[in-house]
Amino acid sequence: MNQSKHLPLPGQRIFRSMVSVWLCFALYFLRGRHGIPFYSVIAALQCLQPYNKEMRSVARKRITGTVVGAAWGLICLLLELKLIHEGVPDELPHYLLMGFAVGIVLYSTVLLKVSDSAYFSAVVFLTVAVNHIGDANPYLFAFNRLLDTVLGVLIAEVVNRVHLPRVRNRDILFVSDLEDVLFPKGGSLSSFSRIELNRLIEDGARFTIATEETQATVRQLLPGVNLNCPIITMNGAALYDLATMEYIQTVSMPFSSAERLIRWVEEQGLSCFINSVEDNLLIVRFRELSNRAMQDLFQAKRSSPYRNFVHSSVHNYESVLYLFILDTQEKIKETFQNFSNWEWADNYRIVMGTSNTPGFSYLKIYDAGVSREAMLRILEEKLGTEKTVLIGKTPEEADLIVTDPGNNQAVKLLKRYFEPVDLRGWKNCFRI
């Protein structure tokens, strides 16, 4: 039986847009109904952006474009009024002049080095020159057009920066997994979560990821998220800084352990991907793609610029972080059991899971010293954080439990605990 789904609640941008429109019209009445509020509303709605940096950029483009467009529109109106006064009744010269003048407007934005405002300049110019050819006072309209835009931009700035009083816990380190936490398994990060994550990070939230994936996969799964803390990857085998693109810490197998393990895997009749970090590069070596799961993974991952596949018949036992074995579910279960009975098993850590290729499973084998907890202690020491809050699926592994990853629950929990509504945070009511 299909379960009924609740409609999503309107987001902040919808409410802020409504308030901005009301304020634009209210200001129009306070000005004695001078100007055209439509232009204020359009400017305000365009400037309401999820990030302050984007809002400033759009506001600058709007104002610059309005100044340039209004100036050329005024010049064009004065020129045409002079021509009309001297008896040019036909509309054809007007339209010919408009096409030529648009080129001049666009070219002027290039000369003034404000070409990113070219579109706004052209729109404002056409609004002034085409719609107001018959106005008695073109100066007044050009001035009001500029004033309407500036007022709309200012209203958007104020509305976008006013918030509830919140206390921001910048001394807490928040750590989350990826799949089944930030987003459903097999899914991707929603636009809401991406925007909110970036806003919280911009406001000082210390947020990072602890995952079994490599840094290359994290980049693929979190496009556009500006993480400001190093991430824990490969189940704790590496600590990676996305900003500097450097491995801060790695836990690799000793040469003899890597050699022993790889030989044992080959004795079991298995092929594998050998993941290592060499000269700050993620290298993935393999001898052959012996089954469909390995072929699928290779085709899916090979295009990433953040990992390097190397087809080689000669193994390198230096700096090996883990082995990734892919095979049928029956073969993987058998290998897992054989590994448990192997005399050297205590020197390694093994993780079993289900492959994305139907009917296949995987084993990831690390050095015994690899764990997310141990790498998290190293990260805490480097950041000097006083408290760590884990975001995960079960009470055994997390402080904040995510039961509905498809509803942006992880980011909502992060927001609630990072910046709870509190009158003590009155200074944060207006974001600079």
Side-chain angles (χ1 to χ4, degrees), residues 131-397:
N131 294 336
H132 296 272
I133 183 65
D135 283 12
N137 191 340
Y139 298 101
L140 182 61
F141 174 76
F143 172 76
N144 281 330
R145 180 70 173 86
L146 176 60
L147 181 60
D148 290 333
T149 298
V150 171
L151 291 175
V153 170
L154 291 177
I155 286 173
E157 283 276 347
V158 173
V159 171
N160 218 37
R161 294 181 185 276
V162 174
H163 297 267
L164 293 172
R166 294 180 182 274
V167 174
R168 292 176 182 144
N169 296 308
R170 294 189 174 98
D171 58 339
I172 298 178
L173 174 62
F174 294 91
V175 184
S176 174
D177 205 336
L178 290 172
E179 288 194 324
D180 273 349
V181 179
L182 277 180
F183 49 83
K185 188 174 181 60
S188 60
L189 193 70
S190 69
S191 296
F192 171 87
S193 287
R194 175 176 50 80
I195 291 171
E196 278 297 290
L197 266 180
N198 281 334
R199 187 191 63 77
L200 292 170
I201 291 170
E202 182 181 304
D203 285 343
R206 292 188 170 189
F207 176 80
T208 191
I209 300 297
T211 176
E212 69 171 326
E213 305 293 350
T214 64
Q215 55 85 9
T217 301
V218 173
R219 290 177 183 274
Q220 180 182 343
L221 294 175
L222 299 181
V225 177
N226 305 316
L227 293 173
N228 61 350
C229 294
I231 59 175
I232 298 171
T233 67
M234 306 182 227
N235 270 324
L239 185 63
Y240 186 82
D241 191 327
L242 289 167
T244 62
M245 300 178 64
E246 293 179 327
Y247 285 92
I248 299 173
Q249 188 96 13
T250 58
V251 181
S252 58
M253 299 178 190
F255 183 97
S256 58
S257 295
E259 182 181 21
R260 183 191 306 123
L261 177 62
I262 293 171
R263 291 187 186 279
W264 181 85
V265 168
E266 291 179 339
E267 288 171 2
Q268 306 301 307
L270 297 166
S271 299
C272 65
F273 293 107
I274 303 170
N275 292 259
S276 61
V277 171
E278 303 169 25
D279 296 327
N280 204 50
L281 295 175
L282 177 61
I283 306 297
V284 186
R285 288 186 169 83
F286 65 95
R287 278 191 173 177
E288 59 177 331
L289 303 175
S290 59
N291 56 61
R292 183 159 52 89
M294 292 186 72
Q295 294 164 8
D296 289 347
L297 185 139
F298 176 73
Q299 292 299 328
K301 306 289 188 180
R302 63 181 302 185
S303 60
S304 170
Y306 302 108
R307 65 165 65 84
N308 303 273
F309 282 95
V310 177
H311 183 199
S312 175
S313 59
V314 179
H315 291 310
N316 182 358
Y317 304 114
E318 297 281 358
S319 306
V320 174
L321 299 185
Y322 73 99
L323 267 61
F324 189 18
I325 306 168
L326 280 161
D327 216 303
T328 61
Q329 293 176 351
E330 296 76 13
K331 183 64 175 176
I332 290 297
K333 288 180 181 178
E334 178 187 347
T335 304
F336 184 82
Q337 185 60 47
N338 292 340
F339 181 87
S340 302
N341 298 327
W342 185 35
E343 60 178 319
W344 304 103
D346 290 343
N347 293 337
Y348 308 92
R349 177 190 171 197
I350 187 168
V351 176
M352 182 167 61
T354 302
S355 168
N356 291 330
T357 302
F360 287 80
S361 295
Y362 68 78
L363 292 176
K364 293 183 177 181
I365 307 178
Y366 309 83
D367 182 81
V370 169
S371 73
R372 299 190 194 188
E373 295 76 16
M375 193 60 78
L376 180 56
R377 301 289 85 81
I378 294 174
L379 178 59
E380 289 170 338
E381 183 177 348
K382 289 183 178 295
L383 296 179
T385 51
E386 299 179 7
K387 182 180 179 182
T388 296
V389 173
L390 304 178
I391 305 173
K393 296 177 288 187
T394 63
E396 293 77 19
E397 64 180 20

Side-chain angles (χ1 to χ4, degrees), residues 395-411:
E396 293 77 19
E397 64 180 20
D399 305 298
L400 304 181
I401 313 305
V402 175
T403 58
D404 186 9
N407 194 32
N408 306 300
Q409 187 180 13
V411 174

